[in-house]
Amino acid sequence: MGKIGRNDPCPCGSGKKAKKCCFLLLDGGAPVSPADDVGNEIREILGAHPVDSMEGLQTLIANVAGRRNREARTDFHGLSPEQMHRLLHFPFTSPHLVRFPDPIEGPLSAPILTLFGVIAEAVGEKGLKPTAKGNLPRALCREAALTRWGDETYRENTHFRDINKEEDFSDLHVTRVVAELAGLLRKYKGRFVLSRPCRRMLAEGGIEALYPALFRAYVVKLNWWYGTRFPEVPFLQQSFLFTLYLLTRLGSEWSPATRYEDAFLHAFPRVLDEIAGNQYITPEAGFRFMYHYIVLHNFTGLLGLAEVEPVGENRFLAKEYRVRRQPLLEGAVQFLL
């Protein structure tokens, strides 16, 4: 292990410089803050077994911090810091923690599959001519919305504004963009066409065989703030696996959406530092609104991983929502914890 300089971050994880944290124990300075559990533990060990060198202190800190990083934490809902690090930074290369089966066993039901099925059928063998702006034609957008919502909900959702272009039906627009990012749909000679890999997967496994590619493109390649007016908070997308982990633990029954918002804030309170408040809304209120809309509604809803529905008779005026995981979550994302 290399030497730690006095101005380097302290290995105990406090976020302070080493000279203002654990190194004070050797330098005879002020004691470590009582709130710093790691520092307190190191103090206790040093009180019983003093060390007389910087190398000895470094080894002690590394041992204590390493053990702490492997311990389950209640604010992480049973995950250790080490496990959380893997989920955040290596979601698809941590097979000892999480698997993404491909193919997925059992029947799949997800809005993104339904919508892409409509697109694929319209494209067919001859391709589909886009609009002058390069989008899906209006007739297809209306057909997709009717297929997705059904007659009654379609009438309700288009009572004040009809669907005249692709962006008027955001779920379809995102599905088309994700399909292109996944390499399933592309433009060739001025027409939308299905790629060769897409045709092969459809022939071998049907529309359900496309789900893993759509899932990965959504979480890795899509900008979740695309088409919204929210300020970007990339960490909400980076932590997608923690949200799915919460759904596996809490989502067997309907729960208020605030339960997931609270759990996320308890695990990552500093996410509020990335959100600017103003005279109309606090950073916490901004976070809750974004987490509900961007993560729960858009991500888990469109991918068919959870149901998110309003509480109350009038869904257009609802201020509260509830969440429950969908059966697809267990087949698509398998946590080995």
Side-chain angles (χ1 to χ4, degrees), residues 46-110:
L46 289 174
H49 305 285
V51 297
D52 55 5
S53 68
M54 190 66 69
E55 289 75 12
L57 177 62
Q58 292 170 352
T59 299
L60 173 61
I61 292 174
N63 290 338
V64 173
R67 177 172 52 77
R68 289 295 187 100
N69 282 335
R70 292 187 293 272
E71 291 178 350
R73 287 176 46 170
T74 56
D75 54 343
F76 288 168
H77 276 260
L79 294 174
S80 69
E82 189 174 87
Q83 291 170 328
M84 181 67 83
H85 177 78
R86 295 295 307 184
L87 296 188
L88 292 176
H89 298 283
F90 307 98
F92 291 102
T93 54
S94 299
H96 59 297
L97 296 179
V98 60
R99 293 179 59 248
F100 302 90
D102 185 5
I104 300 172
E105 296 183 2
L108 278 69
S109 177

Side-chain angles (χ1 to χ4, degrees), residues 22-336:
C22 293
F23 280 17
L24 288 171
L25 299 171
L26 288 185
D27 293 345
V32 178
S33 168
D36 188 337
D37 291 338
V38 174
N40 284 337
E41 181 175 349
I42 293 172
R43 288 183 64 199
E44 293 177 2
I45 295 174
L46 289 174
H49 305 285
V51 297
D52 55 5
S53 68
M54 190 66 69
E55 289 75 12
L57 177 62
Q58 292 170 352
T59 299
L60 173 61
I61 292 174
N63 290 338
V64 173
R67 177 172 52 77
R68 289 295 187 100
N69 282 335
R70 292 187 293 272
E71 291 178 350
R73 287 176 46 170
T74 56
D75 54 343
F76 288 168
H77 276 260
L79 294 174
S80 69
E82 189 174 87
Q83 291 170 328
M84 181 67 83
H85 177 78
R86 295 295 307 184
L87 296 188
L88 292 176
H89 298 283
F90 307 98
F92 291 102
T93 54
S94 299
H96 59 297
L97 296 179
V98 60
R99 293 179 59 248
F100 302 90
D102 185 5
I104 300 172
E105 296 183 2
L108 278 69
S109 177
I112 197 169
L113 286 180
T114 300
L115 295 173
F116 186 71
V118 175
I119 296 173
E121 184 176 354
V123 170
E125 295 291 334
K126 298 181 178 180
L128 178 68
K129 185 177 180 180
T131 66
K133 292 185 177 180
N135 293 333
L136 298 170
R138 180 176 63 181
L140 175 60
C141 297
R142 291 178 175 178
E143 177 189 351
L146 189 59
T147 302
R148 170 74 179 94
W149 293 330
D151 293 335
E152 182 177 352
T153 303
Y154 181 92
R155 287 193 297 270
E156 291 178 356
N157 288 346
T158 58
H159 180 73
F160 297 104
R161 188 183 67 175
D162 205 348
I163 295 176
N164 294 310
K165 58 184 183 299
E166 185 179 307
E167 289 87 346
D168 291 338
F169 185 17
S170 61
D171 283 355
L172 178 67
H173 180 56
V174 171
T175 296
R176 194 263 295 175
V177 171
V178 170
E180 290 183 313
L181 293 173
L184 303 176
L185 183 71
R186 64 190 182 94
K187 288 175 183 169
Y188 177 71
K189 293 184 177 180
R191 301 180 75 85
F192 284 113
V193 298
L194 301 179
S195 67
R196 289 182 180 179
C198 179
R199 292 182 180 279
R200 184 184 69 252
M201 286 188 282
L202 284 172
E204 295 175 353
I207 194 71
E208 296 178 349
L210 305 178
Y211 186 86
L214 291 169
F215 175 92
R216 185 171 291 224
Y218 193 103
V219 299
V220 173
K221 297 183 178 181
L222 178 70
N223 180 345
W224 285 14
W225 282 260
Y226 173 76
T228 75
R229 297 182 179 181
F230 295 112
E232 293 189 17
V233 183
F235 186 72
L236 295 185
Q237 182 169 354
Q238 181 185 352
S239 58
F240 78 94
L241 265 186
F242 182 60
T243 290
L244 298 185
Y245 174 73
L246 290 176
L247 279 169
T248 63
R249 290 179 60 88
L250 310 176
S252 59
E253 303 292 339
W254 286 110
S255 295
T258 52
R259 186 181 188 188
Y260 294 88
E261 298 162 13
D262 292 341
F264 194 95
L265 277 180
H266 190 53
F268 305 112
R270 295 193 64 178
V271 71
L272 297 182
D273 295 341
E274 300 183 37
I275 302 173
N278 55 46
Q279 59 181 327
Y280 303 107
I281 189 170
T282 65
E284 181 176 337
F287 158 79
R288 291 182 182 278
F289 193 76
M290 274 194 288
Y291 188 79
H292 165 79
Y293 185 78
I294 298 290
V295 181
L296 295 179
H297 180 273
N298 286 6
F299 168 48
T300 71
L302 185 61
L303 272 293
L305 303 169
E307 296 176 85
V308 183
E309 66 176 33
V311 177
E313 296 182 0
N314 192 326
R315 63 189 180 91
F316 294 105
L317 299 178
K319 295 182 179 180
E320 297 180 8
Y321 292 82
R322 62 180 188 169
V323 180
R324 180 176 64 181
R325 71 169 181 257
Q326 291 276 59
L328 175 56
L329 176 58
E330 184 177 355
V333 184
Q334 298 177 356
F335 290 96
L336 310 176

